[in-house]
Amino acid sequence: RSNKCIFFLVLRSLLERMGMQSNSGSILPVSQIQVDYVPLAIDFIPSSARVATVGASSKGTGILKVYSMKGRDLEESASYATEKPLRCGTFDVCELSERLYCCGDFSGNLSLMDIETGSQIHSTRAHTDILNSIAGAGISSNQIITGGRDGEAKMWDRRSMERPTVKMSPEPGVARRDCWSVAHGGPSTSHLVAAGFDNGDIKLFDLRQNKLMWETCVTKGVSSLAFSTSPNNACSLLAGTETGKLFQWSTDHPTTSKASKQLDKSTVWDTKLIHDSNQPTFISCLGSGAINVHEMKEKDIEVTCSLQVCEPPLNASSASNDKPGLFATVGFDKFIRLFYLAQGI
């Protein structure tokens, strides 16, 4: 707890010295560290000044590493190895005090790990090929949704991971497409989950009725999915594509509420909500190595600022629950970076 307080005090001091300004207007670089593996996902560890990353080593094994803030610097504080490269992970499946990390690997295994000890609590073969994407229903939840190269999206209960509680598969005779991304509606819309595929298909499922609620196709691969809930409890689905376009639909009226914005010429690798904003605000990691910040309007997506970070793609991000505006990214240049979105301070 004391390290967390010190970190936020240092961050505030840094922002004051920088005069709340940067070349981009409001995205402030905080810290960065270069690593010797390919990081594929990053997540803030709940109630701490730490981040966890997963990825692949040069030997073809998996890496799970933890980094802590020491003043302005990121320092490695724990490292664990796995037999297979790790592709994705989330903390949105446990109590704050548990700090259990749910992650997926290149062989389709779904594992629940204790981030403090690196011990594996449970593991199951969730997919027959790479487990591409994972999402939880939020802190204190038990629901996990996964998507894999085998073309399936599955819902799991972390208390009993022997078999999925819901399985969303193509109809018999229909070609299986690579499921690139999944999203869970979260606490306020826990009955909704979505899956995006390499051919541009997007499917929205209603778990209460156990049926496909709506589907569409955006013609190109769906590289990221996220849900957004506005202050008036209106829920939207966001989808980033490999062509650099971001789409938005209202989940109540998806057929008549489509909005879109061209963010980049290359892939929208990841899109995450910046927590506790009055107006739903998101960050997107782009294939050009840039970060975009955008707000979701009723019928529009408004880009408020951007920052060119590097040349290789930024492939994953995470937003802090504890410090609104603080977020982290990883890129194919093997850097972990922390940023601060200055609006609202």
Side-chain angles (χ1 to χ4, degrees):
R1 186 180 299 272
S2 60
N3 286 340
K4 178 182 169 184
C5 293
I6 291 171
F7 164 64
F8 290 143
L9 287 173
V10 170
L11 176 60
R12 180 173 292 277
S13 174
L14 172 64
L15 297 178
E16 290 172 351
R17 291 199 303 271
M18 293 180 71
M20 302 296 291
Q21 298 295 322
S22 74
N23 291 335
S24 67
S26 58
I27 303 174
L28 306 177
V30 176
S31 185
Q32 68 178 34
I33 185 173
Q34 189 170 21
V35 298
D36 60 356
Y37 59 98
V38 179
L40 297 175
I42 186 166
D43 291 276
F44 277 92
I45 299 176
S47 298
S48 75
R50 297 179 296 165
V51 293
T53 66
V54 296
S57 72
S58 58
K59 299 178 181 179
T61 56
I63 296 287
L64 168 57
K65 291 199 176 188
V66 176
Y67 297 87
S68 303
M69 282 297 298
K70 302 294 184 182
R72 279 194 57 188
D73 298 323
L74 275 172
E75 293 184 3
E76 182 183 317
S77 54
S79 178
Y80 313 109
T82 60
E83 182 180 355
K84 301 294 183 180
L86 296 172
R87 176 64 184 88
C88 52
T90 182
F91 284 103
D92 284 340
V93 292
C94 64
E95 299 292 339
L96 286 173
S97 58
E98 291 180 294
R99 292 175 177 165
L100 297 180
Y101 193 56
C102 197
C103 52
D105 70 20
F106 276 56
S107 290
N109 297 307
L110 176 65
S111 300
L112 197 62
M113 302 184 69
D114 184 333
I115 199 66
E116 306 295 354
T117 64
S119 59
Q120 190 178 87
I121 307 300
H122 190 83
S123 183
T124 188
R125 185 73 183 276
H127 295 270
T128 58
D129 208 326
I130 299 175
L131 200 164
N132 287 319
S133 183
I134 187 171
I139 298 297
S140 302
S141 73
N142 296 302
Q143 291 183 336
I144 308 159
I145 181 171
T146 61
R149 182 180 281 183
D150 56 11
E152 296 184 342
K154 299 178 182 180
M155 180 65 68
W156 306 83
D157 188 316
R158 74 176 181 96
R159 296 166 298 184
S160 179
M161 293 171 60
E162 286 76 20
R163 60 181 61 87
T165 56
V166 179
K167 185 176 178 181
M168 294 156 274
S169 304
E171 295 290 338
V174 177
R176 290 175 176 260
R177 307 300 309 196
D178 194 343
C179 183
W180 279 1
S181 53
V182 294
H184 196 292
S188 58
T189 49
S190 59
H191 63 290
L192 295 179
V193 295
F197 298 83
D198 65 341
N199 65 338
D201 284 350
I202 297 173
K203 300 180 185 293
L204 182 64
F205 298 92
D206 187 332
L207 297 176
R208 289 183 304 196
Q209 301 183 44
N210 196 26
K211 72 174 187 178
L212 179 65
M213 177 177 167
W214 170 76
E215 62 181 325
T216 190
C217 183
V218 293
T219 70
K220 294 294 183 179
V222 182
S223 46
S224 67
L225 285 173
F227 283 97
S228 167
T229 303
S230 66
N232 62 359
N233 292 322
C235 182
S236 297
L237 176 65
L238 283 75
T241 69
E242 63 177 331
T243 59
K245 206 165 190 177
L246 185 69
F247 294 88
Q248 176 190 12
W249 299 268
S250 165
T251 57
D252 292 328
H253 309 286
T255 57
T256 59
S257 62
K258 181 179 175 181
S260 64
K261 177 73 75 173
Q262 189 73 42
L263 299 183
D264 201 23
K265 294 181 179 179
S266 55
T267 304
V268 180
W269 279 92
D270 196 18
T271 297
K272 288 288 180 10
L273 175 69
I274 296 290
H275 297 279
D276 295 337
S277 299
N278 293 327
Q279 180 72 34
T281 303
F282 286 78
I283 54 168
S284 288
C285 292
L286 306 178
S288 62
I291 300 168
N292 268 11
V293 178
H294 37 85
E295 293 182 352
M296 300 300 141
K297 307 296 184 179
E298 185 176 352
K299 296 182 179 180
D300 189 28
I301 301 171
E302 179 183 342
V303 177
T304 58
C305 60
S306 62
L307 178 65
Q308 185 65 46
V309 177
C310 57
E311 289 187 8
L314 295 174
N315 56 300
S317 62
S318 179
S320 172
N321 281 312
D322 302 306
K323 184 62 177 177
L326 183 66
F327 65 95
T329 67
V330 294
F332 288 135
D333 61 351
K334 299 184 180 180
F335 270 91
I336 300 168
R337 296 177 173 92
L338 290 184
F339 299 93
Y340 195 86
L341 182 59
Q343 65 180 31
I345 293 287

